[in-house]
Amino acid sequence: GNIIGSGIFISPKGVLEHTGSVGLALIIWVLGGGVAALGSLCYAELGVTIPKSGGDYSYVTEIFGGLAGFLLLWSAVLIMYPTSLAVIALTFSNYVLQPVFPNCIPPYNASRILSMVCLLLLTWVNSSSVRWATRIQDIFTAGKLLALTLIIIVGFIQIFKGSYEELTPSNAFNFWMTPSVGHLALAFLQGSFAFSGWNFLNYVTEELVDPRRQNLPRAIFISIPLVTFVYTFTNIAYFTAMSPQELLSSNAVAVTFGEKLLGYFSWVMPVSVALSTFGGINGYLFTSSRLCFSGAREGHLPSLLAMIHVKHCTPIPALLVCCLATLIIMLVGDTYTLINYVSFINYLCYGVTIIGLIVLRWKKPKIFRPIKVNLLVPITYLAFWAFLLIFSLYSEPVVCGVGLIIILTGVPVFFLGVYWRNKPKCVNRLIESMTCWGQKLCFVVYPQGGVAEEEEA
């Protein structure tokens, strides 16, 4: 449910653009699932060896210490979650507006304004009621399942009818450009955005029933192959209806697919994808605000972010920070540049976490490991990881460089805000006054205090 989101409706264009052929694009999708499977095996071992909720953040903090954990949290709060939210929101607006502007790309301002309205609406919903937020997630999840199922079924019907010219070997590997190694790295980054979320199960390890013996590895072993199958056949279905040039010229691939094959019922595609992305925004807001909440509870973020509303019991300050960061990033660049940002930082964090697995094997060889993967698994993943990051940095030095700089800005923030305990009284008073001001503005208290204690105070 976390993996399948907006990525499969937007990444096919980016993957095809950098590979230069249909056949190589499909290979990238299959390999992307294989790399996610290698990473998930490593996370399965970490999840049962360090059975703490919080995923990467908990493992990196446990193995490498507070600074490394803080930098991962810092990059997640400033880049990964807000950028993912921005991409999903922009995808939502593109699919809603595409039927209105069938012969051209929707206007920049219209797309941004609709994305912002959607984000603000869902921030208000998540601030008002946890129950509303979870019900929206349940209802709108059906949208993406309907869209993907319909695309795959129609694709199979097209193949049975003989409409698979673009999939024959002679056409599939007919390159209109020769991709460089850097292009292949960027294609992997575009595809990896669609697979992002494979590590989310580790964020709730403590809440799983029997995670050590069965449920965590079982969920991983079932989900990754299933998602890889869905993504690969969705792309195959796209090429039964569109030529590579038509796919590259489309700003909303699923809408173009529906217009070509569904006739009168083509409206189902934009509606289904809009439902999917609307639910995706809601889910990312829900998750990212909880990460801010957890980081603040551990002392790595301002204490105001660990407070919840007196009546609604929602983390309003954390939600507002996530919303504001997303609004700013939404104005930075286009969708595919944003995908490169988030995918690069995602892979950087994944790699550091998996390096932690090898370090933990060395530091604590006798610790109980219910699951112990062969060392070739993390080594193979890290070899691919190094290739991807090096050539992505070479191909997109500005995008990757800015991402690294933003992460490194967390170093002085950590030493000034977290490591420096004996701050001057004037600084402490300023922080306390800002916290009190935030409490009054958002009607929030510490969750352990509760409403009764706040009223007594």
Side-chain angles (χ1 to χ4, degrees):
N2 276 298
I3 300 174
I4 299 176
S6 67
I8 188 58
F9 301 116
I10 193 169
S11 292
K13 180 178 177 179
V15 173
L16 184 63
E17 184 178 13
H18 291 297
T19 53
S21 75
V22 172
L24 189 54
L26 293 176
I27 291 173
I28 291 292
W29 282 104
V30 175
L31 289 179
V35 172
L38 290 176
S40 63
L41 288 172
C42 298
Y43 271 64
E45 177 177 327
L46 285 168
V48 296
T49 306
I50 307 174
K52 294 181 180 179
S53 291
D56 319 60
Y57 170 59
S58 296
Y59 309 146
V60 170
T61 303
E62 176 87 12
I63 299 168
F64 295 112
L67 175 59
F70 176 81
L71 291 179
L72 191 146
L73 179 68
W74 179 258
S75 62
V77 170
L78 283 188
I79 303 178
M80 288 177 356
Y81 276 114
T83 305
S84 296
L85 271 166
V87 170
I88 299 171
L90 290 171
T91 306
F92 167 82
S93 62
N94 283 336
Y95 272 89
V96 170
L97 294 173
Q98 188 66 32
V100 182
F101 301 93
N103 300 319
C104 63
I105 296 174
Y108 178 91
N109 290 335
S111 177
R112 263 41 181 197
I113 290 171
L114 182 58
S115 300
M116 291 177 180
V117 169
C118 175
L119 179 67
L120 291 171
L121 172 64
L122 286 172
T123 301
W124 174 77
V125 170
N126 276 268
S127 300
S128 301
S129 172
V130 175
R131 180 175 295 177
W132 289 3
T134 53
R135 283 183 177 175
I136 284 177
Q137 193 66 14
D138 292 340
I139 294 170
F140 284 82
T141 294
K144 61 187 171 189
L145 299 177
L146 172 64
L148 290 174
T149 302
L150 187 58
I151 288 171
I152 292 173
I153 290 174
V154 172
F156 273 117
I157 293 172
Q158 287 293 103
I159 290 174
F160 291 142
K161 287 181 177 180
S163 300
Y164 50 82
E165 293 83 4
E166 299 296 341
L167 298 171
T168 59
S170 57
N171 290 330
F173 291 96
N174 182 21
F175 290 85
W176 60 86
M177 73 162 193
T178 303
S180 64
V181 179
H183 281 123
L184 293 179
L186 292 176
F188 269 111
L189 282 184
Q190 293 287 330
S192 69
F193 176 77
F195 283 98
S196 61
W198 55 262
N199 62 322
F200 277 20
L201 190 63
N202 291 64
Y203 279 75
V204 292
T205 303
E206 294 174 22
E207 300 170 54
L208 288 177
V209 178
D210 193 16
R212 288 181 179 265
R213 294 189 178 182
Q214 294 188 25
N215 287 338
L216 181 62
R218 180 186 295 166
I220 290 170
F221 297 150
I222 293 173
S223 63
I224 303 298
L226 181 61
V227 171
T228 305
F229 172 85
V230 170
Y231 281 1
T232 304
F233 277 92
T234 299
N235 278 273
I236 288 173
Y238 287 150
F239 291 117
T240 64
M242 290 177 278
S243 67
Q245 291 69 32
E246 287 175 318
L247 192 147
L248 289 173
S249 63
S250 172
N251 197 48
V253 179
V255 170
T256 305
F257 179 87
E259 289 173 348
K260 280 184 158 292
L261 296 182
L262 298 182
Y264 178 77
F265 295 98
S266 61
W267 58 268
V268 172
M269 275 297 133
V271 170
S272 298
V273 178
L275 292 176
S276 169
T277 49
F278 191 81
I281 298 167
N282 181 73
Y284 262 87
L285 265 177
F286 191 91
T287 309
S288 60
S289 62
R290 269 62 183 179
L291 181 61
C292 288
F293 178 89
S294 299
R297 192 175 55 184
E298 295 296 324
H300 281 170
L301 291 175
S303 58
L304 179 63
L305 300 182
M307 296 183 185
I308 62 173
H309 191 271
V310 174
K311 293 182 179 178
H312 304 315
C313 296
T314 53
I316 290 181
L319 283 164
L320 292 177
V321 166
C322 295
C323 178
L324 179 61
T326 304
L327 290 173
I328 294 171
I329 286 179
M330 204 177 286
L331 300 174
V332 169
D334 66 276
T335 303
Y336 295 97
T337 302
L338 292 176
I339 289 176
N340 286 339
Y341 266 116
V342 71
S343 298
F344 176 80
I345 300 302
N346 264 338
Y347 260 98
L348 187 60
C349 294
Y350 296 158
V352 170
T353 305
I354 292 174
I355 289 172
L357 182 147
I358 298 175
V359 171
L360 191 64
R361 290 270 190 101
W362 173 67
K363 289 172 64 176
K364 297 181 179 180
K366 295 183 180 180
I367 193 173
F368 178 57
R369 292 179 172 86
I371 298 174
K372 189 174 182 179
V373 299
N374 190 296
L375 268 179
L376 285 176
V377 174
I379 289 172
T380 304
Y381 183 92
L382 290 173
F384 173 80
W385 172 77
F387 152 79
L388 185 68
L389 294 187
I390 290 170
F391 284 102
S392 298
L393 192 58
Y394 173 78
S395 300
E396 290 282 357
V398 175
V399 171
C400 300
V402 170
L404 288 173
I405 290 170
I406 293 175
I407 292 175
L408 293 177
T409 58
V411 175
V413 174
F414 173 79
F415 283 104
L416 291 174
V418 180
Y419 186 79
W420 185 21
R421 299 289 184 182
N422 299 319
K423 298 180 180 67
K425 291 183 178 179
C426 60
V427 175
N428 288 327
R429 282 197 296 268
L430 176 62
I431 295 172
E432 289 173 4
S433 63
M434 291 178 66
T435 303
C436 291
W437 178 80
Q439 280 185 285
K440 292 176 182 178
L441 183 67
C442 300
F443 302 100
V444 291
V445 294
Y446 286 109
Q448 60 266 32
V451 178
E453 291 186 18
E454 179 69 10
E455 289 175 349
E456 289 175 7

